[in-house]
Amino acid sequence: MSHDLPFDLQSLRAAYAAGLDVFEVVEEVYRRIQNLGDPGIFITVLDRSEVFKDAEALDQTQFEAMPLWGVPFAVKDNIDVAGTPTTAACPEFAYTAEEDAFVIKRLRAAGALLIGKTNLDQFATGLVGMRTPYPAPLNAIDPEVVPGGSSSGSAVAVAQGLVSFSLGTDTAGSGRVPAALNGIVGLKPSRGALSNRGVIPACRTLDCVSIFALTADDAFEIFKSVAVQDSSDAYSRAYPPFRRSGMLSHLRVGVPSAETIRFFGDEYQQRSFNQSIDTLREVGAIVTEVDFDPFYAVADLLYKGPWVAERHTVIEALLAEKPDAVHPVTRQVTKVALGFSATDTFRAMYRLRELAQEITAAMASVDLVCVPSIPKFITRTEVENDPIGPNAQLGTYTNFVNLLDFCALTVPVAQRDDGRPGSVTLIGTAGNDSLLSAQAASLQAKIQPSLGATSWPFPAPIPNACNLNRDELAVVVVGAHMSGLPLNGELTGLGARFLREANTVQQYKLFKLAGTPPTRPGLVRDPEGSAIAAEVWALPSQFVGKFLQGIPAPLGIGSIFLEDGSTAHGFLCEAVAVKDAEDITHFGGWRAYLDSLTSSLQPDKENYDATTQFS
């Protein structure tokens, strides 16, 4: 096999389908670990023979049925793996787990191959990745920058291309901050969506198992494989089945207001965030500023309030018997718990409820919130000089999320002007993991940033497959059903999800159809035509009939040939209907035509009626 084989799910599955041997992949994982030579990433690497046994047990006939067949992964060392020490980055605390954590069992059942257990800020307390008695991992992109924590090793392992994905945990941002610092995706699910059974708690009421991956699509695929209620976990919750939702028409995005946004002097980060918001506007999002002071007030409660006592409950005995076994900074942070009374706890709970009510009102006016994943980059030297202050800064946009029962997804965007990775985090209310994943995947596909520290290209759409699930049909739209336009809701309302932007082959013409308002676009195949801008959407097969019922003459559905060599069903117009229509092919697409309308054509815009416009 090629040593340059990308480990994203799409590339790896394609290689397997073409005949790649799973044992070659395992060998390649160990070769990459050895060649990288960073001793801080893993605390335990499983013996190669053990992974070979797991690979040998995979049934080739189950390749299509097992979504993670032969996919290598790593897990944070506060999550149990049967027969392997669980250390939480504290050797004196270590024990050998008798069984796999619930999430590990689910991943193995889906065909994934566990490679090892990764380093972390001790007892998952920290966002810098430096609070460990082991060597701290090196940031995958800039070794002068902290790797981020507490899930440091898990993030770096994915960013370096050692494994396809990894598990971390997230209480205050541990599954998002290291993702941002290493240029990868970090999914912090809704609380209780993934079981915490077999996971050493940090704050048991807030903890979430998190997922690191190279793409938002990968993270969501992994999430779906493990998201199921666990009746043996008191904090597990039942959610409706998670399916990829479509992009929302006129997506409403909240961002921190100019008065309350914080970058702590990092101008590169500020420019990067502004560019990302411009990109969201380009794809039709409506951006609204939100007062973030209440969010910051909630964040202060997590570490400055009595919730730190939850961390103290985990290591109380160890602190009493062997205080020197605990990292000095971890000891300093958790001992704050001793200063709070039960009265303080209830006061904090009341304050949280008040702030949450205020924030809920603000969230009601938006579909999701977009924030800088981190306000600034922090160097190792800064943390060595001040282990507390920089850590707090990294949690500016993460510390409040779990307390408010939100889900969040960190996604890489365009590289910053100084070469460091750009990143934003999308935040939604509990249960909206599918929505966040769809928007993040769309944003990442449009920008196509680097995949961590690898040189691997962003995975291209698969011709004639379009990344479809088995129960979906690809639909090409060229008019009002495109994202952000009036009829997009007819797709999303049926559960359709955005796949990608596309162009037709250069054999189509686009017309503004004649007749009384409202105006309508019509696509006709013509050998003398041009490429027309389009979007490809995945429509659940069960709703195809209902969707077709709403298509009026002279429009119909036929095969549309796309520039990338793929073919999909889409809107075509009867040739007779364009005899007297205005040829707008030279605009290259319906959006460009709409943008060209001058004030003298404003009546056409006013007559652009969402109830009768069709693609």
Side-chain angles (χ1 to χ4, degrees), residues 100 128 161 163 239 241 281-282 312 340 364 390 447 577:
D100 285 342
V128 292
V163 291
Y239 289 94
R281 287 192 175 101
E282 289 172 9
H312 188 263
F340 290 103
I447 297 173

Side-chain angles (χ1 to χ4, degrees), residues 304-355:
K304 297 179 182 178
W307 274 271
V308 73
E310 285 203 88
R311 296 182 183 274
H312 188 263
T313 64
V314 179
I315 59 174
E316 182 179 12
L318 187 63
L319 281 171
E321 297 169 10
K322 299 179 181 179
D324 291 340
V326 181
H327 191 281
V329 180
T330 307
R331 197 163 62 236
Q332 179 182 349
V333 170
T334 54
K335 279 193 171 182
V336 172
L338 301 178
F340 290 103
S341 67
T343 302
D344 294 327
T345 301
F346 278 101
R347 286 196 183 113
M349 291 171 62
Y350 302 153
R351 179 59 178 152
L352 174 60
R353 189 60 177 255
E354 293 167 357
L355 291 167

Side-chain angles (χ1 to χ4, degrees), residues 510-529:
L510 191 68
F511 295 86
K512 171 190 168 185
L513 299 180
T516 56
T519 56
R520 293 187 291 174
L523 184 71
V524 176
R525 192 171 182 194
D526 190 317
E528 297 181 359

Side-chain angles (χ1 to χ4, degrees), residues 182-266:
N182 290 278
I184 60 172
V185 170
L187 171 61
K188 200 296 294 182
S190 295
R191 271 185 4 215
L194 303 188
S195 171
N196 285 327
R197 182 153 55 99
V199 180
I200 297 173
C203 295
R204 193 178 177 199
T205 62
L206 304 178
D207 293 339
C208 299
V209 172
S210 65
I211 297 167
F212 295 101
L214 293 171
T215 70
D217 280 329
D218 283 5
F220 190 70
E221 184 69 24
I222 296 152
F223 170 67
K224 288 195 300 180
S225 297
V226 291
V228 64
Q229 187 178 21
D230 175 11
S231 59
S232 296
D233 175 9
Y235 288 92
S236 180
R237 295 157 76 179
Y239 289 94
F242 290 101
R243 293 179 56 90
R244 173 62 52 78
S245 67
M247 286 180 60
L248 294 179
S249 179
H250 302 300
L251 179 72
R252 301 172 302 165
V253 178
V255 299
S257 67
E259 295 78 18
T260 57
I261 198 165
R262 298 176 180 177
F263 293 103
F264 301 108
D266 191 334

Side-chain angles (χ1 to χ4, degrees), residues 204-538:
R204 193 178 177 199
T205 62
L206 304 178
D207 293 339
C208 299
V209 172
S210 65
I211 297 167
F212 295 101
L214 293 171
T215 70
D217 280 329
D218 283 5
F220 190 70
E221 184 69 24
I222 296 152
F223 170 67
K224 288 195 300 180
S225 297
V226 291
V228 64
Q229 187 178 21
D230 175 11
S231 59
S232 296
D233 175 9
Y235 288 92
S236 180
R237 295 157 76 179
Y239 289 94
F242 290 101
R243 293 179 56 90
R244 173 62 52 78
S245 67
M247 286 180 60
L248 294 179
S249 179
H250 302 300
L251 179 72
R252 301 172 302 165
V253 178
V255 299
S257 67
E259 295 78 18
T260 57
I261 198 165
R262 298 176 180 177
F263 293 103
F264 301 108
D266 191 334
E267 295 179 359
Y268 290 107
Q269 192 73 344
Q270 184 171 3
R271 285 199 295 272
S272 174
F273 182 67
N274 290 340
Q275 290 167 3
S276 298
I277 297 306
D278 288 342
T279 301
L280 285 172
R281 287 192 175 101
E282 289 172 9
V283 297
I286 301 169
V287 178
T288 303
E289 290 194 351
V290 176
D291 179 7
F292 246 62
D293 282 337
F295 293 82
Y296 299 142
V298 170
D300 286 342
L301 290 173
L302 186 62
Y303 277 108
K304 297 179 182 178
W307 274 271
V308 73
E310 285 203 88
R311 296 182 183 274
H312 188 263
T313 64
V314 179
I315 59 174
E316 182 179 12
L318 187 63
L319 281 171
E321 297 169 10
K322 299 179 181 179
D324 291 340
V326 181
H327 191 281
V329 180
T330 307
R331 197 163 62 236
Q332 179 182 349
V333 170
T334 54
K335 279 193 171 182
V336 172
L338 301 178
F340 290 103
S341 67
T343 302
D344 294 327
T345 301
F346 278 101
R347 286 196 183 113
M349 291 171 62
Y350 302 153
R351 179 59 178 152
L352 174 60
R353 189 60 177 255
E354 293 167 357
L355 291 167
Q357 187 172 17
E358 184 177 350
I359 290 168
T360 298
M363 293 289 286
S365 64
V366 298
D367 299 305
L368 57 86
V369 167
C370 180
V371 298
S373 299
I374 54 174
K376 64 173 293 186
F377 276 72
I378 301 295
T379 66
R380 296 168 78 98
T381 300
E382 287 178 278
V383 172
E384 289 165 0
N385 293 335
D386 177 6
I388 302 295
N391 186 91
Q393 288 183 337
L394 285 174
T396 299
Y397 297 108
T398 62
N399 285 347
F400 55 82
V401 170
N402 297 37
L403 276 170
L404 291 169
D405 198 15
F406 291 164
C407 53
L409 194 154
T410 293
V411 60
V413 293
Q415 188 180 70
R416 299 190 341 165
D417 296 338
D418 62 352
R420 289 174 174 169
S423 174
V424 297
T425 294
L426 307 182
I427 301 171
T429 52
N432 275 308
D433 308 71
S434 300
L435 171 64
L436 298 189
S437 295
Q439 310 310 318
S442 175
L443 186 62
Q444 192 180 17
K446 182 175 180 62
I447 297 173
Q448 298 196 4
S450 300
L451 300 179
T454 75
S455 59
W456 302 335
F458 192 84
I462 303 174
N464 300 313
C466 301
N467 300 323
L468 290 172
N469 293 326
R470 294 178 180 84
D471 61 346
E472 293 176 326
L473 177 76
V475 176
V476 177
V477 295
V478 296
H481 283 90
M482 298 170 79
S483 57
L485 295 184
L487 285 185
N488 184 245
E490 290 192 356
L491 281 170
T492 58
L494 295 175
R497 61 188 181 91
F498 176 79
L499 292 177
R500 58 193 170 95
E501 294 178 338
N503 288 307
T504 69
V505 296
Q506 296 192 21
Q507 295 183 2
Y508 289 91
K509 287 188 176 181
L510 191 68
F511 295 86
K512 171 190 168 185
L513 299 180
T516 56
T519 56
R520 293 187 291 174
L523 184 71
V524 176
R525 192 171 182 194
D526 190 317
E528 297 181 359
S530 300
I532 301 298
E535 289 181 354
V536 185
W537 286 74

